[in-house]
Amino acid sequence: GNSVTQMEGPVTLSEEAFLTINCTYTATGYPSLFWYVQYPGEGLQLLLKATKADDKGSNKGFEATYRKETTSFHLEKGSVQVSDSAVYFCALSGGSSGGYQKVTFGIGTKLQVIP
Amino acid sequence: DTGVSQNPRHKITKRGQNVTFRCDPISEHNRLYWYRQTLGQGPEFLTYFQNEAQLEKSRLLSDRFSAERPKGSFSTLEIQRTEQGDSAMYLCASSPGQSGTEAFFGQGTRLTVV
């Protein structure tokens, strides 16, 4: 079945530092890949997505590129802000292992940005 | 449309009691999902509906759990004879069901079993 592995946190960075959160996946076929974010006290929100190989998803300065050859979808941001402090979840859906679009999540990586 | 709505937001119950949660998906979304999230973990899939049909149940969904989606609109998740291990955030999500589309999540219902 589908699975997602992402780096464990917490990750603590100073404001304006570069962020990378690694994510790799296991799935057959061509799943869609997502990054969701959960701010303190709030629900899950989609941050960005990519639906085919070599696609780059981007939003709010965050980027992730769908790498089929390395089965990866690493999240990056060039300059983090305190307001980016949240838990980030890598996720996937689809592929050829399932006939529907159940979303499978990674464990989540907590990011704390300090001034 | 205000998104996926879940009620109640919080529920505290005594062990052994039954609880029921409600989810109202985004209108016209034919797929509805229930997930459970415990502290420090990612959401874990519980069950999935396409319209009114329940198409899959996770092995996490014991016999004490039942979910329904009458008429393919709102859904309910009932837990019978609650146990302390049932304490978690229960998340509902919906999607339009097209390939590559993301799931839209509600705020969740936080259950505490004392």
Side-chain angles (χ1 to χ4, degrees):
Chain A
N2 294 344
S3 67
V4 176
T5 302
Q6 65 180 105
M7 61 187 289
E8 293 191 25
V11 174
T12 302
L13 295 174
S14 297
E15 205 164 22
E16 299 183 2
F18 184 85
L19 168 71
T20 300
I21 301 178
N22 291 336
C23 171
T24 58
Y25 68 90
T26 300
T28 55
Y30 294 88
S32 296
L33 303 175
F34 311 96
W35 278 98
Y36 281 82
V37 59
Q38 189 169 35
Y39 296 103
E42 298 186 14
L44 281 164
Q45 304 173 26
L46 180 71
L47 179 61
L48 53 85
K49 70 176 184 180
T51 58
K52 60 182 187 294
D54 300 325
D55 267 3
K56 178 185 285 187
S58 61
N59 185 27
K60 300 181 181 180
F62 291 89
E63 293 183 339
T65 301
Y66 189 141
R67 300 289 188 199
K68 180 69 173 173
E69 65 275 15
T70 55
T71 61
S72 65
F73 193 54
H74 305 321
L75 182 68
E76 297 182 337
K77 186 174 186 182
S79 176
V80 294
Q81 304 300 312
V82 172
S83 57
D84 294 327
S85 298
V87 181
Y88 293 83
F89 294 93
C90 186
L92 69 81
S93 72
S96 57
S97 63
Y100 55 88
Q101 307 300 316
K102 179 180 74 174
V103 182
T104 300
F105 288 86
I107 193 172
T109 302
K110 184 175 182 179
L111 170 66
Q112 183 177 13
V113 180
I114 55 178
Chain B
D1 196 338
T2 57
V4 178
S5 177
Q6 291 189 246
N7 288 288
R9 292 290 307 278
H10 304 274
K11 178 70 177 179
I12 300 174
T13 190
K14 292 183 178 179
R15 189 172 52 187
Q17 297 295 304
N18 299 343
V19 294
T20 300
F21 310 140
R22 177 181 171 120
C23 171
D24 288 273
I26 294 172
S27 58
E28 300 180 353
H29 279 191
N30 59 7
R31 292 180 177 170
L32 186 147
Y33 312 84
W34 284 99
Y35 286 80
R36 182 174 69 187
Q37 186 178 19
T38 53
L39 195 62
Q41 300 295 317
E44 297 173 296
F45 171 77
L46 292 179
T47 190
Y48 154 74
F49 291 85
Q50 180 148 337
N51 299 312
E52 67 277 8
Q54 188 174 19
L55 297 187
E56 184 176 348
K57 295 191 294 185
S58 163
R59 55 185 168 80
L60 294 175
L61 214 64
S62 74
D63 291 344
R64 297 184 296 105
F65 288 70
S66 63
E68 296 182 343
R69 193 184 183 195
K71 304 178 183 178
S73 56
F74 73 92
S75 176
T76 58
L77 177 67
E78 181 183 16
I79 308 174
Q80 296 181 326
R81 305 181 302 282
T82 52
E83 302 173 355
Q84 286 189 322
D86 297 332
S87 296
M89 177 74 85
Y90 290 84
L91 300 171
C92 178
S94 69
S95 76
Q98 298 160 351
S99 178
T101 56
E102 68 272 22
F104 295 80
F105 282 81
Q107 298 276 59
T109 295
R110 180 168 295 283
L111 172 66
T112 303
V113 181
V114 297

